[in-house]
Amino acid sequence: MGPSARNLLHEFTARRNPDQAAHLARFFKTGPGQYGEGDCFLGLKVPITRSLIKPYRGSLSLDDFVFLLASEWHEVRLGALLLMAERAQALAKARDVGALRQLADLYDRHLERANNWDLVDLSVRDIVESYWRTAQLPVAEIRRLLLAWAASGNLWRERAAMIATHARQRMGSLDETFWLAEYFIAHPHDLMHKAVGWMLREAGKRDPGALRAFLAQWHRRLPRTALRYAIEHMGADERKKWMAKT
């Protein structure tokens, strides 16, 4: 393990704020039986995390990322994931497919360490899009990866699969969003309902007609939270119509 990773860990722990840590633990549902059960917080807000990692851009190795992702501290894992996302974008600009593949594989192997919604949401799109675009990965291979995450039984891999469809939207395809929205339609967890609705809403920004066609077929089975998120940018009368049909 390089000294940079250990120095960064020390900088994080030196900024510990117990009062803010208690607030974040409640916000991210870390109590018994909650989705973030057992997670530990130093009490650092995201802007502080971003400022701490800034000097380390480009200087950490893959082993350093593994070391930081193994940390008990939520903010340290977030810092590692943000640095990985930035590294992916830099490698995409350099068109370094080999290094991108290694980074994407590491992300896949350690995805359980992105064990809360913010950790997934702030990392997955930029990492997978950088790799998929630069490597010109076939759609069949992208779908194989998405299905592996979706069928994993792990909430964070499932959420990563759904949020990763935003990358496909930015690459010009809404198909994966609608496919996984249908796949997850009976998922029991509210975090997945929100993820599905969010990605449907994003798809609707690009093609409102495609979203309406999906809703015409599936709105009665969509969880109400997912439906509310999906139609958020529609007019009040249309939102009322879709909600009434449930």
Side-chain angles (χ1 to χ4, degrees), residues 227-238:
L227 181 57
R228 281 197 300 270
Y229 272 54
I231 64 177
E232 192 174 64
H233 289 172
M234 295 180 181
D237 290 343
E238 186 173 8

Side-chain angles (χ1 to χ4, degrees), residues 117-189:
W117 55 266
D118 62 320
L119 303 180
V120 171
D121 296 357
L122 290 171
S123 62
V124 64
R125 187 198 71 188
D126 291 340
I127 290 174
V128 299
E129 183 180 353
S130 296
Y131 175 47
W132 294 348
R133 278 186 185 275
T134 308
Q136 298 183 326
L137 218 60
V139 173
E141 179 63 15
I142 291 173
R143 286 196 163 214
R144 184 201 64 76
L145 171 62
L146 291 174
L147 184 58
W149 286 354
S152 67
N154 176 271
L155 176 62
W156 309 118
R157 286 183 179 271
E158 292 167 345
R159 186 170 174 103
M162 194 67 236
I163 303 303
T165 68
H166 198 199
R168 288 295 293 152
Q169 292 181 27
R170 286 157 54 101
M171 294 168 71
S173 173
L174 306 183
D175 293 346
E176 289 73 24
T177 296
F178 295 127
W179 166 51
L180 284 185
E182 179 183 348
Y183 182 90
F184 287 125
I185 205 161
H187 197 287
H189 206 291

Side-chain angles (χ1 to χ4, degrees), residues 196-211:
V196 167
W198 175 19
M199 290 302 104
L200 287 174
R201 184 179 71 220
E202 292 300 316
K205 292 178 183 178
R206 290 169 168 80
D207 190 337
L211 173 59

Side-chain angles (χ1 to χ4, degrees), residues 56-77:
Y56 294 87
R57 290 173 178 166
S59 66
L60 299 183
S61 67
L62 295 183
D63 286 342
D64 289 332
F65 290 137
V66 173
F67 170 75
L68 294 170
L69 289 173
S71 173
E72 66 178 313
W73 302 114
H74 183 104
E75 296 92 339
V76 173
R77 298 195 305 280

Side-chain angles (χ1 to χ4, degrees), residues 1 27 29 31 37 70 73 100-101 106-107 127 145 148 166 186 208 215-216 234:
M1 207 61 51
F27 180 77
K29 308 297 185 186
E37 180 176 358
W73 302 114
L100 271 169
R101 182 179 296 109
L106 185 149
Y107 183 74
I127 290 174
L145 171 62
H166 198 199
L215 293 177
M234 295 180 181

